[in-house]
Amino acid sequence: MNVDFGNALASEATLGVSGASLERLDERVAAIHDRIETGIEDREFGYASLALPDDTDPEAIEAAVDDFDPDAVLTVGIGGSALGAETITAALGVDGHYTLDNVDPARTRGLLDELPLESTLVNVVSKSGTTAETLANFLVVREAMARAGVEWADRTVVTTGESGPLRELADEHDLPTCPVPDGVPGRFSVLSPVGLVPAAAFGCDIESVLDGGAAGRASLEPSLFECPAYAYGAVAYALEGRGATTNAFVPYAEALEPLAEWFAQLWAESLGKDGLGQTPVRALGATDQHSQLQLYRAGRTDKLVTLLRPHERVDVPIPETGVESLSYLGGATLGELLDAEFEATEASLAAAGQANVRLEIDRLDGESVGRLLYELEAACILVGELSGVETFTQPAVEWGKRAARGLLGGGTFEEAEAVDDKTVRR
Ligand code: PA5
């Protein structure tokens, strides 16, 4: 990705960071880069995520879905076990990928009524194999398939860890399985089978996504002035320290809307610890210019606005009309209009002194998207190291999972845990 942080500098933005501060921060970035490199080489927990472009075997993923030619893929998973796969298929323009993450009965029922179950591939994903939402939805899907006369075991692929209830179930029914690699937390697993199975099932070139990740890997340099991922992370960190406690992430491409959701999870679950962390907000350009932009320009000065766009897009010409006042549109394209909206928003925020950063990728293809995902993960890891938080854990999320299971009578959740404030806050 290309990163332009000119509108986040002290000369341009109220909360902006000075060149001298960035120079000082760069010394820490260099030291953290060494830490990250060691973590990658030794495949340490969390850092192993940044080795996925090397470690993921695209052929094994393709082999797991080779026997299927689905009209639809239904991913049953939640959080890091769903958002990455959704992000990749949406960015690649795939139609027919659905996700059951929530356990809203109306949504589950509605989707099961709508899908052609006889030609749907069910993609069940859970690293732990114990997540209540995923297992409950899977049991409901299984039963619906059986009721429709579809042999569910012939149309299901499972991605899970080495042990756990889902692994046992997969073994019992001899289901095709893919591994969740060791040392990779859910939200960092997009460049593994967790993120790639649905795209592979639709015949997308998943190798290009991994090639993009490899390009991101090659772009890691020990200076924020040389490395786009570290530039974005360092500026976001510096701005948070100056009061930008919100990071509004605004892609200008509908196909990247799920990426904003993926980013929100990455940022929130990795960095929201010890009383720190920017609150990520998902938005969409140009749609949210007609709602949220008012706040971003004229509301509290407590935000970084991250604007993201592809350089090249599939485009649609805008027809000419005889109406004089609309003549500025005729001859232009929808893509040009969207780019003008992007630049107008950027200029409008800059004019108001609101910090913003521009991220750009070449186009919406596997390589650009794979690289973007990798670089945002590296940016997040850098922010975690600079902030001194445990980027790769999610105790508050785990607490919620145990509590929900406990309320249904499963697991060993003790009521006492609910009042242990330390357990909740970490
Ligand atoms: O990033 C994380 O660790 C979480 O968001 C998990 O991905 C999510 O809770 C699902 O967990 P699992 O894959 O174990 O079902």
Side-chain angles (χ1 to χ4, degrees):
M1 68 182 173
N2 288 325
V3 179
D4 181 343
F5 56 81
N7 287 338
L9 293 176
S11 52
E12 307 298 325
T14 309
L15 296 178
V17 54
S18 69
S21 300
L22 284 179
E23 294 283 354
R24 281 195 299 278
L25 198 53
D26 205 32
E27 288 171 24
R28 292 180 65 199
V29 169
I32 291 170
H33 172 73
D34 288 347
R35 170 72 193 94
I36 291 175
E37 284 293 327
T38 306
I40 297 173
E41 269 159 39
D42 296 347
R43 303 298 191 264
E44 281 179 56
F45 182 73
Y47 303 96
S49 316
L50 295 183
L52 285 175
D54 278 342
D55 292 353
T56 301
D57 177 0
E59 283 169 19
I61 298 173
E62 283 156 359
V65 294
D66 208 28
D67 288 345
F68 306 103
D69 182 17
D71 290 325
V73 173
L74 176 61
T75 291
V76 183
I78 195 164
S81 286
L83 292 172
E86 252 182 83
T87 297
I88 289 181
T89 52
L92 299 184
V94 165
D95 269 339
H97 182 205
Y98 301 84
T99 300
L100 265 186
D101 49 4
N102 207 343
V103 277
D104 181 328
R107 159 85 178 148
T108 302
R109 176 58 52 225
L111 198 50
L112 289 173
D113 286 347
E114 183 191 321
L115 285 176
L117 295 179
E118 66 294 342
S119 56
T120 294
L121 171 63
V122 180
N123 171 43
V124 192
V125 189
S126 175
K127 178 180 160 139
S128 61
T130 57
T131 302
E133 293 91 335
T134 301
L135 291 170
N137 269 330
F138 178 43
L139 295 177
V140 171
V141 169
R142 228 168 66 150
E143 196 209 46
M145 289 181 107
R147 250 191 290 116
V150 178
E151 184 45 74
W152 67 268
D154 292 345
R155 304 213 60 82
T156 299
V157 58
V158 167
T159 299
T160 191
E162 271 173 21
S163 57
L166 191 54
R167 168 66 60 183
E168 282 164 29
L169 207 138
D171 289 347
E172 186 187 329
H173 294 277
D174 206 17
L175 305 177
T177 58
C178 289
V180 179
D182 270 355
V184 176
R187 60 196 170 279
F188 287 92
S189 63
V190 58
L191 296 177
S192 79
V194 175
L196 293 169
V197 164
F202 283 113
C204 299
D205 176 8
I206 59 168
E207 212 162 331
S208 70
V209 179
L210 293 168
D211 288 347
R217 167 87 184 96
S219 78
L220 295 185
E221 297 285 343
S223 167
L224 72 93
F225 300 106
E226 305 286 331
C227 169
Y230 294 159
Y232 180 61
V235 168
Y237 167 77
L239 291 178
E240 184 190 344
R242 285 161 178 72
T245 53
T246 294
N247 187 344
F249 195 88
V250 197
Y252 276 67
E254 298 238 350
L256 294 176
E257 202 175 2
L259 183 128
E261 199 158 339
W262 173 87
F263 174 84
Q265 183 200 8
L266 182 76
W267 224 243
E269 202 171 342
S270 305
L271 305 174
K273 285 155 197 164
D274 302 334
L276 296 172
Q278 287 180 319
T279 302
V281 174
R282 309 164 247 186
L284 178 68
T287 307
D288 286 312
Q289 277 178 228
H290 298 265
S291 57
Q292 299 176 24
L293 183 59
Q294 175 63 38
L295 175 76
Y296 299 162
R297 190 176 199 271
R300 287 177 206 278
T301 308
D302 61 356
K303 293 168 202 68
L304 158 63
V305 181
T306 303
L307 302 165
L308 166 67
R309 72 172 171 185
H311 269 299
E312 290 170 24
R313 334 170 167 265
V314 175
D315 219 339
V316 174
I318 305 172
E320 306 268 1
T321 67
V323 181
E324 173 71 18
S325 56
L326 291 180
S327 60
Y328 74 99
L329 289 175
T333 66
L334 292 181
E336 284 166 354
L337 178 56
L338 194 53
D339 280 334
E341 306 264 12
F342 179 101
E343 282 154 32
T345 297
E346 190 177 50
S348 145
L349 292 169
Q354 298 286 11
N356 62 88
V357 171
R358 176 195 282 218
L359 306 182
E360 286 174 308
I361 59 172
D362 289 342
R363 61 191 71 77
L364 288 169
D365 65 6
E367 191 154 350
S368 297
V369 171
R371 179 169 178 163
L372 175 65
L373 292 164
Y374 187 95
E375 291 181 311
L376 290 173
E377 288 183 1
C380 178
I381 293 172
L382 177 79
V383 178
E385 299 282 338
L386 287 167
S387 309
V389 298
E390 285 190 14
T391 308
F392 304 119
T393 61
Q394 56 286 326
V397 170
E398 301 299 345
W399 187 93
K401 285 180 168 186
R402 284 201 315 281
R405 270 201 304 273
L407 286 173
L408 284 176
T412 56
F413 182 79
E414 296 291 335
E415 208 176 317
E417 287 188 70
V419 291
D420 179 353
D421 187 48
K422 283 200 225 89
T423 313
V424 181
R425 269 187 62 84
R426 270 198 309 261

